[in-house]
Each structure stands twice: as structure tokens, then as C-alpha cells.
Amino acid sequence: MKYISTRGKAPVLNFEEAMLTGLARDGGLYLPETIPTMSAGEIAALSGQSYEEVAFRVMRPFIGDTFSDDEFRDIIAKAYAGFGHAARAPLVQLDSNHFLLELFHGPTLAFKDFAMQLIGQLFQASLKRSGNRVTIAGATSGDTGSAAIEAFKGLDAVDVFILFPHGRVSEVQRRQMTTPGESNVHALAMDGHFDDCQARVKDMFNDFDFRDGVRLAGVNSINFARVLAQVVYYFTSAVSLGAPHRKVSFTVPTGNFGDIFAGFIAKKMGLPIDRLVVATNQNDILHRCLSTGEYKPDGVIPSISPSMDIQVSSNFERALYYAYDQDGAAVSQLMDELNAGGFNVSQGALQALREVFDSGHCSEEETSATIRDMYAATGELLCPHSAVGVKVANETRNSDVPMITLATAHPAKFPAAVEEASGRHPDLPARMADLYDRPERVTRIENDLAAIETLIRDRIAK
Ligand SMILES: Cc1ncc(COP(=O)(O)O)c(C=O)c1O
Ligand SMILES: N[C@@H](CCOP(=O)(O)O)C(=O)O
């Protein structure tokens, strides 16, 4: 299996190299050269299998000869052993044909654990074999950072630096990043918003002296291994509702487009997905782009679903790559235009996107009302991101095809917004009950590439 860049000008890599590389050297994102497919028979045979077995069968074709079957099975088993639900990603029925896919039973209570727990194991196995050491730099609006710190804390061959926007993540998210005591993990509270943090991480990858000097690796969804791990739960949930004999649709609360792009890969692999619905909060650039063709970031507005406060949506580049018939030069041109302020998607590419994706957005008031109404009607307490998904799903679904909305985080990560909307305080699981009492360790840093690089160099030199 070969991995190529969306911009067509970076070295072709194998899975292990792509996983450890992060951003491609031409600024693009790695993708498999061809997407492996599964036959209807192979998909049907997933029915009744454990989450781990489905994960093995779905991901195996993507990893080439990086790991033997036994090694890969062992890695998967370790990755999901710490989840708080035997099904890992249970499906809850909301009404006759609307289902909620609960993705928040991992160690840090958000869907990021599905990929990050796996990547932690993959990195560990790979680095142990090579004897190498890497420095991970990541940007977060709250959940990627906590999941990464949890997955990599205490590992010998890895230092982790997470940039989060100061004052713009929930207290639980911040504490999940700042309370682990392991010296190889570093939470950096940066001035600005998530897009600024992500831009600085990309700057570090594009500074080749720094990148090569510290052996930089990435665990944001620029890393295809992140996306790959998220493909699995599209299969488990669709199969449990009758795929491949029955189509399903998915609504995905969306920010950086990684999670919904995993659904796109699942569809390309042969899973009978009818519609993939992009659900955005008031930072609705993706909904506007799919509606009008114009992609023009105009500032991030803080919301009660802060993890989706994003305007420069990294993985949209991967969707554009397919919409433009895998033309790396066309994608490069769009990304240059984005750096200069924005771009317009061509009519042909827009049509290709609309063949797969629908979209909608949800205001702050609608998010609160959805939390309130869903709790009253079903007893299900939604986090604000999941509420964005449920609201958009209710607007876009039709009665013929079951709709699965991804519940991307536990309500207790956002207690203030959830309690204000529903009147019920969501409690953290017992294992985290002392989170508010643990001492925090965090470094404030300005939005300045040189300052960030100096800090990282100094810390890893110690
Ligand atoms: C809770 C939650 N929901 C939804 C999203 C959006 O997912 P994506 O960035 O993959 O589109 C995020 C952030 O990634 C998140 O943390
Ligand atoms: N919502 C994310 C933003 C980063 O997205 P990623 O999927 O590219 O890591 C977060 O919680 O940090």
C-alpha cells in the first residue's frame, strides 16, 4: 500500500512512514494511492463480530506489511481494552429510524480516543523496533489534545507538545491536558483560536530544519492513521442496522472534517452509505461552502460547542482531492488561494461533493434547545457537539433510510452548557471524579513560531 500527497509533490511513502511523517513535505495530506474495497459478503461477515475483530478486518489492507497479523491484532486489543463499554461504540435508538452512535466511552470521553489509543500503540511498536525517538506537535480545540496526552503519556520514545487556544476550551478538557504528571507531555496554552494553533503546527512541519532536527511527528487528523481508525465505527454501526443489505446515512458534527472524511473512506470501501451529512455550529464555513461553493474563512466565533470552533478545516483538502479527480496541482492551487484569503470550488467539483455530502448548521439557541428537548423526550443527555448533529440530522433525514448521528463527546466534558440547557448536571465517570482537585501544569505561550520552536527544542534537550 502506497501513500501519496494531496498536492502530488511529496515522496511516496508506506503506511508506517506516512504515519510517522504527519504533514507531507509539499504541505499536503497523505492518502492511500488506491482505497481497498470490501465485498458485500465480507461486509456481511462483520455482523456479530467484536469491535476489535471488525477493526482488524477493516484496517488490515491499509497497513501493508508494517505489522504482522498477530502484532496488529495485539495492538488493536491493547488500544480498546481501556474503553468503558463492551461494545466500544454502542448504538442507541432515538426514534423509529434515528440512532445515536456513542463514541465517548474511551479514556478521555470523546471520539478521538478511538484513533489516539490505537496510534499510541502503533507509534510505540514502530519506535521500539527502530530505536528512534520522535517529537509530536499537535493543535487542539480541546479533545485531540486530551486524547493525545492520555495515549502518549509516559512513553519512552515520544515527547508530546499540544497547543490549545488559551481560554477557549472547557475546564474539563483543559484539566485533562494539564493534570497528567508525566514529564514527556507538555500542554501549551497559546494566544488565539484553534486555527492559529493548527497554523503554527503546520508552520513547524514546513520548517524543515526544525522538523528534521526534532524528528517531528503529528497526531492531528493530518495523520491518515487517525482517519483510518475512525473508519471502523462506520462499519460496526452500519452493519448492526443491516448493511450491506440496507443503506444507512450518517450525520457528523464537523470541524476539521476528519471524522466525516473517515465516513467517506468507508463509503469508498463499499459500505452502502446513502448520505454523509456535515453538521456545523455557527462556525459554518463548510455548510456555506457546500451550499455556495465559496470557501472563505472569516474569523472564528466562540461557541458552546468549542471543539468545532474551526474555520480552516484541514481534511476538507482530502475531499477536494477526490472532487477534483485526484488532481494534485488543482488542490495546490486552491490551497495557495486559501492562504491568500479563500477560494471558489469549481462547479464540477461542487457537484461531486454534493453527490456524497449534505450539510446544515445549528445556532447556539438551537444547540441548547436540542439538548433540552432530547433530554426531555428520551432521557439521553447530549454534549453540545452531538446536539448540533442531532438537530441537523432531524432536518435532513428522510423516512426511508436510517440515520446514525455521531455522538462525539460525553456531556460531562461540557457541564455548564449541558446543565444550562437541560437542568441536569452531567457527572464525570467515577475514575475521573478527582479531576478538579489534581494540580495543573501548563505553559502560556504567545502565538509566535520562533518562541514555540525554542520552547520545544529546550524541553527535549533536557
Ligand atoms: C467533540 C467533537 N465533536 C466534533 C468534532 C469535529 O470533528 P472533526 O474535526 O473530525 O470534523 C470535534 C473535533 O474534532 C470534537 O472534539
Ligand atoms: N476538534 C479537534 C480539532 C483538531 O482536530 P483533529 O481531528 O485534526 O485533531 C480537537 O478537539 O482538538
Side-chain angles (χ1 to χ4, degrees), residues 159-311:
D159 290 292
V160 182
F161 295 84
I162 298 294
L163 291 171
F164 71 88
H166 178 62
R168 290 184 182 232
V169 300
S170 79
E171 184 174 357
V172 172
Q173 290 175 317
R174 190 193 71 233
R175 286 180 171 276
Q176 285 180 325
M177 292 187 276
T178 59
T179 57
E182 287 80 357
S183 59
N184 72 321
V185 294
H186 310 263
L188 310 179
M190 199 185 95
D191 298 328
H193 45 66
F194 170 76
D195 286 348
D196 298 318
C197 297
Q198 180 159 251
R200 293 302 75 76
V201 168
K202 289 192 175 178
D203 289 347
M204 285 187 248
F205 275 102
N206 289 324
D207 175 349
F208 294 148
D209 277 351
F210 177 77
R211 173 182 185 153
D212 297 336
V214 303
R215 286 182 164 273
L216 199 62
V219 293
N220 279 105
S221 54
I222 56 174
N223 188 331
F224 185 77
R226 274 278 312 279
V227 175
L228 176 60
Q230 294 170 200
V231 173
V232 176
Y233 47 70
Y234 286 89
F235 276 88
T236 57
S237 56
V239 166
S240 73
L241 291 185
H245 312 296
R246 189 186 188 205
K247 281 190 168 191
V248 296
S249 292
F250 288 91
T251 300
V252 187
T254 296
N256 228 7
F257 212 84
D259 211 7
I260 197 156
F261 187 75
F264 177 80
I265 296 286
K267 185 174 165 74
K268 277 189 121 27
M269 288 179 75
L271 191 66
I273 295 177
D274 187 33
R275 307 298 299 160
L276 284 166
V277 185
V278 175
T280 62
N281 67 16
Q282 58 188 350
N283 296 290
D284 60 356
I285 188 164
L286 290 164
H287 172 57
R288 282 185 280 123
C289 179
L290 288 164
S291 307
T292 66
E294 185 186 61
Y295 192 100
K296 196 166 181 220
D298 58 0
V300 179
I301 315 165
S303 78
I304 57 169
S305 44
S307 305
M308 302 192 325
D309 292 347
I310 297 173
Q311 291 278 292

Side-chain angles (χ1 to χ4, degrees), residues 94-110:
L94 295 179
D95 64 31
S96 57
N97 75 343
H98 192 185
F99 299 81
L100 200 64
L101 182 58
E102 291 187 349
L103 299 174
F104 50 72
H105 296 284
T108 66
L109 311 179

Side-chain angles (χ1 to χ4, degrees), residues 1-26 28-36 58-67 72 118 122 221-229 231 261 265 269 318 321-322 326:
M1 173 65 74
K2 298 263 178 274
Y3 285 80
I4 52 168
S5 164
T6 47
R7 303 195 193 172
K9 292 215 169 98
V12 175
L13 303 178
N14 67 23
F15 174 78
E16 186 173 26
E17 291 163 339
M19 172 184 87
L20 294 170
T21 294
L23 199 67
R25 286 180 101 83
D26 60 1
L29 306 180
Y30 275 105
L31 276 170
E33 195 171 32
T34 53
I35 308 283
V58 168
M59 292 191 286
R60 184 74 191 87
F62 289 86
I63 67 160
D65 57 7
T66 299
F67 299 106
F72 193 43
L118 185 84
L122 291 170
S221 54
I222 56 174
N223 188 331
F224 185 77
R226 274 278 312 279
V227 175
L228 176 60
V231 173
F261 187 75
I265 296 286
M269 288 179 75
R318 287 186 165 122
Y321 175 74
Y322 287 106
Q326 309 189 33

